[in-house]
Amino acid sequence: MNLVADFIEANLDVLVRRFSEAARGLESTQGLKPSERISTVPEYLHAVAAICRHGSTPERLETRARMEEAHINLRLRVGATLEDATDEYTLLGRLIPQLWADARPERKPGALDLQCLFQQIEEAMEHVVLLFSGDSLEERQREKRFLRQLDALAPRSLEPGTDMQGPLKPLVELIARAMEAAGAELFLVDAGGRRMFPAAHTLHLVAPPGRWADTQGPSFLGRVARSEEPLVLAQARGLEDFEREGLDATSAWSTLLGLRLWPHGDLMGVLCVGFAEARPVPPRAKRFLETLVEYLSGILDRALLMGRLSEAHSRLEASETRYRLASQAAADTVWDWNLLTQHVSWSGETRRLLGFAPEEIGPLADWWVSRIHPEDRERVEHGIHAAIQGTQARWQDEYRFLNRQGDVVRVLDSGVILRDAAGRGVRMVGAMQDVTSRWEAENGHEQLLREARTARVQADMALSQLHALLQQAPVALAIFRGPLHVVELANDRVCQLWGRSCEQVLGRPVLEALPEVAGQGIRELLDGVLTTGVPYVGHELPVRLARAAGGALEEAYFNLIYQPLHAAEVGIEGILVVASEVTEAVRARQRAEGLAATLQASEERLRLALDAADMGSWDIELATGRGTWDARFRTMLGLPAQGDILLDEAMRFVLEEDRRKVEHAMEEAARPGGSGEYACEFRARLPRPGQAERWISGRGHVHFGPDGRPLRFVGTGMDVTERKRAEEAARQRAEFEQYLVGIVSHDLRNPLSAITLGTSSLLRREELSERATKAVLRIQASAERAVRMIRDLLDFTQARMGGGLPVQCQDLELGALVRQVVEEARMTAPERDLQLSLPLAGLHGCWDPDRVTQLLINLLGNALKYSPEDTPVAVRLREVPGGVLLEVHNGGDPIASDMLPRIFQPMQRGAPGMDAATRSVGLGLYIVRTIVHAHGGTIDVTSARETGTTFTVRLPHADAKQTAGT
């Protein structure tokens, strides 16, 4: 009894129907009738079942071969490709096992039955290859032999501009022998891509000078350069001059066969093969030449790349020589820091500047850190490491350094960061300058103010660096804002994945920028993340995008993360999208599942995709623990570069604190009945003490056998150390800003109170002259402004660190309070027209009078400050259902549209050009919003040139929180 044969014969109609429905989507069956699509599949399945049940005999094998040949010949007649035809047999190989997917274990076919089935599918695909190519086994072996010989003769490197006849002539001679030709000549294009010059000839020791051909010209070589197919020149003798352009006039070739070298979609050159006699060139010879030229293109591409790397290395050595000469002539201390080994070398000027002899200086960066003043050490060390781990090209800082005698020297330290191709810092060169005298002259009593200004500049730089990091990130990043998912930010990589330019997507809803994704479930995923606040992680999510030629839909696969963003935390309500395309890897895996004969090629494509994504991979047999680890993952985890490593041995290279977490994630993935998905981030064990920890993000999938037992564990790993460090740095920077503002505000409050009391006492004296009185009044006004700024800073600190502002609600008639504040403002600014509109009846409710007064003063102050003096400022109060509505309106220039979304954020101002007398710290509107939220209310702003600017506050009658606002 053969279960495979039983399932095929019992479900033949179902199997044929499923094949027809599934094959409808294949390109090879487009436009075919159902009978043509099915072809001889039923008879072929009968033959397969007979062989599975009774064994293979010459008669049964001949019957099966006839059915295969009839089906393949039909596909040849309709223009299908070799890959199209093999895809159909791969489809059958997937559909047949689905027949027993839900059967009980004892009813499922065994390993021998499956081997018989898949062997017949593989033989059918070999039949496809034979019929499409027409090559015999001997011809394919001959082709492989010549390819191996090409590989053995391949030069290691080629430098552009040098004589290439020597290293390339053996390759061209080998191709001439393979084609059984009289000779061959290779032409390569110049740097401009327009001219082709002879590089190697089988008949010359040195390439003759002066010959070249125009790639866009009418000559034979020009036509070959523009043709995708091999071109034949049947009569090469007696050609016109324009046709012979670039060809060797001394050669006696009668027939020419030419094909261009086209690696990576760019013209590299042309190979021309000559035959002594006039002869037709069969298609098989053309195909063989295509194989040889494609292999030659790869050899030349690799050798030219190695030549460019060698040239770059020579330039680097010359640059290092110039650096050594410059460091000897420089007056300042010059240092050179190897970021990979932490070794630092110092110039001879270190003795003059700091008093240290060369033998007294430690070889590692730790020595430099230990000599930084303790109060500056953490800041400087954090700043330089943030620059190294970010994308900056330069770093600069001013700090205190302890010289050999222990005295403090204030130095200005600047450095240039050199990065590798992956953007990782590998070297840093800089100079240290003594600026003690300048600092002492400039510092004085303005030190505190400068430090606050410096902190603000550093914060702005950090924000700029973050934005630059998002743009230059090696993964696709985008930010969608609001419920319509408007594209707020999209870096170049995500635009490439979408097949759009940045101008086509920025500022537009995602369904408008990418209309083809409608109905694919993307909008529902985004809505779910925005509504629930739960991130979405998608693995190999299929999406059809209109990025193919002519706007045709192209199916692609992505690994992506939808991370919700909250306005209270990052100033925007939306979703952060992190995506990487894995289309090639997915398609490679799908082909590998049903196409065992092409497994090696599929694995190579998968490896290339992983290299492009900068990811490592592993493949583990769970029954034995034996693992296959690629070189990139071995480097990430610190595994030995060579040798077999079991899973238990590899786990010892995971940091001990994270080891249990990794084991638990693998156990969950391998749990019977589970999804099989594995995702875990962990740290690699430090190979040597003192080295920075390295984070790895692992993702994988456990494959189960027919009996439900886990068999293989395949996955990829990505080094996410930089991301982890950036997250930690951002968190520490935010905590430090809040701590600094709170400390500065408290420390300045007492001296300003003393100034205010002192000016009040002076103003009560009668003997003060008019000039002295004006001076005291100016001091008093400045001190009061500073007190208001400090109060704003304290409120800001309490709101950010304490979760909101406290309110003490009491019964209040709001109209009287508003009238009082407006009257006080009229006395303060008598020259301005302040208009007040109140309801006839009193408005009673439960509010905090002090906080409401502070709110209205801030809004009135803004309206007076940012409006022309000849325009009125209006305050309107009215009752609405459930609460009251307070409006403050002023004319003048509107608030910029790009400023409106963040006008209520800290450190923001409506107009950048205010003079120093009216300048503020930019916290007023942030505090206003906090007070409104503490009362359970809302605040909105509208601003236009025609209608002016209006801030609208809505307060409920009794919804305020007595402890702190939100």
Side-chain angles (χ1 to χ4, degrees), residues 786-808:
V787 169
R788 289 195 298 272
M789 292 170 63
I790 290 173
R791 182 189 61 193
D792 288 347
L793 286 172
L794 289 174
D795 284 344
F796 167 70
T797 303
Q798 185 169 16
R800 290 288 291 268
M801 299 182 67
L805 293 177
V807 294
Q808 302 295 330

Side-chain angles (χ1 to χ4, degrees), residues 180-257:
E180 298 178 355
E185 187 170 15
L186 173 65
F187 296 82
L188 297 180
V189 298
D190 62 3
R194 185 63 186 261
R195 293 186 176 188
M196 295 185 296
F197 293 89
H201 196 298
T202 57
L203 303 180
H204 301 293
L205 295 177
V206 178
R211 286 194 292 124
W212 62 274
D214 187 353
T215 60
Q216 303 298 319
S219 66
F220 174 70
L221 292 177
R223 289 187 289 116
V224 172
R226 298 189 299 275
S227 173
E228 296 182 1
E229 302 293 334
L231 292 186
V232 178
L233 187 61
Q235 183 51 260
R237 297 170 182 164
L239 296 177
E240 296 290 340
D241 289 342
F242 75 89
E243 293 180 303
R244 289 194 61 87
E245 181 185 50
L247 294 173
D248 184 8
T250 64
S251 64
W253 298 338
S254 178
T255 301
L256 296 180
L257 173 62

Side-chain angles (χ1 to χ4, degrees), residues 612-664:
D614 198 20
M615 300 169 69
S617 66
W618 69 80
D619 188 346
I620 301 171
E621 296 180 7
L622 294 177
T624 63
R626 183 178 295 106
T628 301
W629 325 83
D630 73 352
R632 191 180 303 274
F633 190 77
R634 286 175 180 261
T635 302
M636 287 183 193
L637 195 57
L639 300 176
Q642 301 293 334
D644 295 335
I645 300 175
L646 298 179
L647 176 60
D648 292 341
E649 297 172 344
M651 287 299 296
R652 292 201 294 268
F653 288 83
V654 178
L655 193 64
E656 186 174 356
E657 290 86 341
D658 293 349
R659 198 171 297 160
R660 181 54 196 151
K661 176 175 66 174
V662 176
E663 292 172 346
H664 178 71

